[in-house]
């Protein structure tokens, strides 16, 4: 990790921008400045040399006239006048033999310079050259002097210090590099400010958005503003977060479904064990209950029994009947049909269920209203299980009703909905889920076993049906709706 910490600053976008953009530009600019300086240096040096050349040519005519007149004093005055121009270190006049005849300036040509002057007189041409004079490096420009006949009668030498030229060039060089340094600094500042405005602030904003998401704000999304490139990154980040949220929801749903399936499997295993137990109990208790019921019925025929004894025997028979019903409900509750589903005519089942309940309704003075037509409402399922569910719902309504029970059917292309309404006290909203739990008998008094609605819910789950508990607007009691799909999924 240490090498990562050390190299992290080198990965800075700002530093990369400086190294990969500013530095190459600086090197290229330096090369351009250096090439320009070389060109300017040559140009300036040439211009300074040209100045001395022009001065020498300007002196030529008056010096020639003074020499032709033999007036050395005028020659010296002319040479002295050249210092008023400035930039001249010295001016000298030689005769045709190279002998120095007039001098202006601090330095004086020695024998060597006079020998060279004689050689230049023989050449007879103007020329400039760098040489040493009296220990100083100088630039000299030589101009031949003619007599009236056109013959070379002497030589004029105008001298400028080479150090002065170098000083001027050094000044230009220093000013050039200072200017380039200033340009570099300004360029670096512009690049850093531009980086901050164009890149840095948008990167900081994305980092801040990511930090908020990392801190737990899962609903937060990156701001898609700014340049197109950063807007694209923000949009891609948001799409990724949306995808992760969608996957999380799908995984959560899968976990819920798996847990629900595990619970159903455990419930089915428990129901299977309960079915085995109920079957055993029914087998063991069936014969004793039959004997008790038969003996009780025979005892009731005895005329010598008192009314209290008759009432007690009747209560014994009701409890025997209730015990048988409880055993049958337990077996039905635990039963699960493993055969293939088949087409079931709900209209026929419903008519059979209602017909079985009419005697009980008539004995209690309850009006039982059923559908006026037999329907022919076909669904896919298991006929015995559906009939038992319908019977429990209808019996539940009859047990809760005071005067009226209404059964109605709604048919659609996808499902069949059967409603059971009563004019009883209704079911409080807080208990509408609990009433489907096994042995929940609240509001049913002693008439139910507490398994009827639990069986209804089990049958509904087997048929992918939906059972809803509502309030009846017309009768004022409860309203149970069982919606059964046409096909089992």
């Amino acid at each position: 990790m240490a090498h990562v910490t050390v190299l992290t600053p080198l990965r800075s976008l700002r530093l990369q921008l400086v190294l990969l953009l500013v530095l190459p530009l600086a090197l290229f600019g330096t090369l351009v400045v250096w090439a320009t300086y070389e060109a300017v240096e040559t140009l300036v040096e040439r211009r300074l040399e040209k100045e001395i050349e022009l001065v020498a040519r300007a002196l030529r005519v008056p010096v020639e006239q003074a020499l032709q007149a033999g007036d050395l004093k005028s020659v010296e005055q002319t040479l002295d006048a050249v210092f008023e121009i400035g930039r001249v270190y010295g001016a000298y006049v030689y005769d045709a033999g190279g002998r120095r005849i007039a001098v202006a300036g601090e330095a004086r040509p020695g024998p060597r310079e006079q020998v060279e002057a004689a050689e230049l007189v023989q050449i007879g041409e103007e020329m400039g050259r760098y040489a040493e004079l009296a220990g100083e490096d100088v630039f000299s420009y030589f101009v031949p002097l003619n007599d009236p006949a056109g013959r070379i009668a002497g030589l004029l030498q105008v001298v400028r210090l080479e150090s002065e030229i170098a000083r001027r060039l050094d000044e230009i060089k220093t000013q050039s590099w200072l200017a380039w340094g200033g340009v570099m600094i300004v360029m670096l500042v512009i690049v850093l400010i531009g980086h901050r405005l164009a890149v840095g602030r948008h990167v900081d904003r994305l980092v801040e958005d990511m930090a908020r998401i990392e801190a737990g704000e899962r609903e937060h999304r990156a701001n898609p503003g700014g340049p197109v490139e950063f807007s694209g990154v923000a949009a891609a980040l948001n799409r990724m977060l949306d995808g992760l949220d969608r996957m999380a929801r799908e995984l959560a749903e899968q976990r819920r479904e798996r847990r629900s399936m595990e619970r159903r499997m455990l419930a089915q295993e428990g129901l299977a064990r309960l079915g085995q137990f109920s079957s055993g109990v029914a087998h063991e208790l069936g014969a004793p209950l039959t004997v008790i019921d038969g003996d009780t019925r025979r005892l009731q025929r005895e005329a010598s029994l008192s009314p209290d004894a008759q009432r007690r025997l009747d209560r014994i028979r009701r409890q025997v009947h209730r015990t048988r019903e409880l055993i049958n409900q337990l077996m039905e509750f635990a039963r699960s049909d493993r055969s293939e589903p088949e087409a079931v005519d709900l209209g026929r089942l419903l008519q059979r269920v209602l017909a079985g309940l009419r005697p009980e309704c008539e004995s209690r003075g309850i009006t039982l209203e059923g559908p006026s037509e037999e329907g022919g409402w076909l669904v896919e399922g298991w006929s015995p299980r559906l009939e038992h569910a319908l019977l429990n719902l209808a019996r539940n309504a009859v047990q809760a009703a005071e005067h009226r029970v209404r059964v109605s059917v709604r048919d659609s292309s996808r499902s069949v909905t059967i409603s059971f309404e009563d004019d009883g006290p209704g079911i409080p909203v807080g208990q509408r889920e609990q009433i489907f739990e096994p042995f929940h008998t609240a509001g049913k008094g002693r008439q139910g076993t507490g398994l009827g609605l639990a069986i209804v819910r089990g049958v509904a789950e087997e048929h992918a049906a939906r059972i809803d508990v509502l309030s009846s607007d017309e009768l004022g009691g409860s309203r149970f709706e069982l919606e059964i799909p046409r096909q089992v999924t």
Side-chain angles (χ1 to χ4, degrees):
M1 295 300 292
H3 67 283
V4 175
T5 304
V6 171
L7 294 177
T8 297
L10 298 178
R11 296 177 179 174
S12 166
L13 180 60
R14 187 183 297 107
L15 181 59
Q16 294 289 323
L17 192 63
V18 171
L19 293 177
L20 300 178
L21 179 61
V22 177
L23 185 58
L25 287 176
L27 294 176
F28 177 74
T30 302
L31 182 62
V32 171
V33 170
W34 177 79
T36 303
Y37 169 75
E38 290 294 323
V40 171
E41 181 184 32
T42 303
L43 182 63
V44 170
E45 185 178 11
R46 179 59 186 160
R47 185 174 65 84
L48 295 176
E49 292 173 356
K50 192 66 177 179
E51 288 179 356
I52 297 301
E53 178 182 344
L54 293 175
V55 171
R57 288 179 177 177
L59 291 176
R60 179 179 182 177
V61 174
V63 171
E64 277 183 344
Q65 292 174 351
L67 283 177
Q68 292 172 6
D71 188 356
L72 291 178
K73 187 175 181 179
S74 295
V75 173
E76 291 177 352
Q77 290 176 349
T78 301
L79 295 180
D80 291 336
V82 80
F83 287 96
E84 297 178 359
I85 300 175
R87 305 173 184 174
V88 175
Y89 178 66
Y92 313 101
V93 176
Y94 304 90
D95 60 12
R99 186 171 56 87
R100 184 184 65 213
I101 58 177
V103 175
E106 296 179 358
R108 293 179 178 278
R112 182 176 58 84
E113 287 78 9
Q114 294 183 48
V115 172
E116 292 176 354
E119 294 174 354
L120 293 175
V121 169
Q122 295 299 323
I123 295 173
E125 294 180 354
E126 294 182 8
M127 67 174 59
R129 68 177 183 182
Y130 287 92
E132 184 177 326
L133 176 63
E136 295 285 352
D137 293 328
V138 299
F139 173 75
S140 300
Y141 193 82
F142 298 92
V143 178
L145 300 175
N146 300 324
D147 57 12
R151 296 188 298 271
I152 296 176
L155 185 68
L156 172 62
Q157 178 184 10
V158 180
V159 177
R160 185 171 192 170
L161 284 174
E162 185 180 0
S163 59
E164 183 182 355
I165 297 176
R167 181 180 58 79
R168 293 290 305 276
L169 293 176
D170 288 340
E171 291 177 356
I172 294 173
K173 182 178 182 180
T174 301
Q175 292 173 358
S176 298
W177 287 117
L178 287 176
W180 175 238
V183 170
M184 286 293 300
I185 293 173
V186 172
M187 185 170 65
L188 181 62
V189 172
I190 292 175
V191 168
L192 293 178
I193 294 176
H195 166 268
R196 176 59 188 170
L197 296 177
V199 179
R201 58 175 178 166
H202 301 295
V203 171
D204 292 343
R205 189 179 61 201
L206 280 174
V207 171
E208 182 181 354
D209 291 334
M210 293 178 183
R212 293 180 60 181
I213 295 170
E214 184 181 9
E217 297 184 34
R218 297 297 304 272
E219 300 300 326
H220 180 72
R221 292 293 181 267
N223 187 348
V228 175
E229 291 79 2
F230 289 101
S231 177
V233 172
L237 176 63
N238 291 339
R239 288 196 298 272
M240 183 187 71
L241 293 173
D242 292 339
L244 290 175
D245 288 346
R246 186 167 55 254
M247 291 178 60
R249 289 193 298 270
E250 292 175 354
L251 288 175
E253 182 63 25
Q254 291 176 1
R255 283 196 292 270
R256 282 195 295 272
E257 292 179 355
R258 186 170 62 250
R259 286 195 295 269
S260 177
M261 183 178 297
E262 291 173 354
R263 286 195 296 270
R264 287 198 298 269
M265 293 178 64
L266 290 174
Q268 289 178 354
E269 292 176 357
L271 289 175
R273 289 194 293 271
L274 180 59
Q276 294 175 355
F277 174 75
S278 300
S279 178
V281 169
H283 178 73
E284 294 297 331
L285 294 182
L289 289 174
T290 301
V291 172
I292 293 172
D293 187 51
D295 289 345
T296 304
R297 189 169 56 252
R298 282 190 289 274
L299 285 174
Q300 283 181 317
R301 295 194 189 107
E302 295 290 337
S304 59
L305 291 177
S306 64
D308 181 65
Q310 288 286 351
R311 184 178 56 80
R312 291 177 182 274
L313 289 174
D314 186 61
R315 188 169 62 185
I316 290 173
R317 290 195 65 193
R318 286 199 304 272
Q319 293 302 320
V320 169
H321 177 73
R322 176 176 164 75
T323 303
R324 280 180 173 171
E325 185 180 1
L326 177 61
I327 293 173
N328 291 334
Q329 293 279 31
L330 274 173
M331 294 179 65
E332 186 66 28
F333 177 71
R335 190 173 68 181
S336 178
D337 201 330
R338 303 295 182 182
S339 62
E340 291 296 325
E342 57 185 6
V344 178
D345 187 346
L346 285 179
R348 183 173 299 176
L349 288 183
L350 192 57
Q351 292 299 328
R352 191 158 59 209
V353 167
L354 297 181
L357 287 176
R358 290 192 187 283
E360 181 180 352
C361 291
E362 291 173 0
S363 65
R364 292 182 53 196
I366 296 175
T367 302
L368 179 59
E369 304 172 10
S372 57
E373 55 184 13
E374 292 188 359
W377 305 295
L378 295 178
V379 297
E380 190 178 60
W382 295 271
S383 179
R385 299 285 288 165
L386 286 173
E387 183 178 358
H388 210 87
L390 296 177
L391 176 62
N392 283 330
L393 287 172
R395 181 175 293 168
N396 183 74
V398 171
Q399 291 174 351
E402 294 182 0
H403 302 289
R404 293 178 62 188
V405 171
R406 176 185 296 169
V407 180
S408 57
V409 179
R410 293 198 311 273
D411 188 18
S412 69
S413 60
R414 301 181 60 183
S415 62
V416 178
T417 303
I418 305 174
S419 301
F420 300 85
E421 300 176 78
D422 62 72
D423 61 349
I427 299 174
V429 177
Q431 296 184 10
R432 291 181 178 177
E433 181 63 27
Q434 300 173 0
I435 60 175
F436 291 100
E437 296 177 359
F439 303 108
H440 183 85
T441 59
K444 297 179 181 179
R446 298 178 179 176
Q447 298 180 3
T449 61
L451 291 174
L453 293 180
I455 293 173
V456 171
R457 184 167 66 177
V459 174
E461 291 177 351
E462 291 172 0
H463 291 77
R466 190 182 69 189
I467 179 72
D468 294 325
V469 182
L470 307 169
S471 296
S472 174
D473 296 332
E474 296 186 9
L475 302 186
S478 60
R479 175 188 179 97
F480 285 75
E481 287 189 352
L482 179 62
E483 182 181 5
I484 306 172
R486 293 288 187 179
Q487 292 183 339
V488 178
T489 58

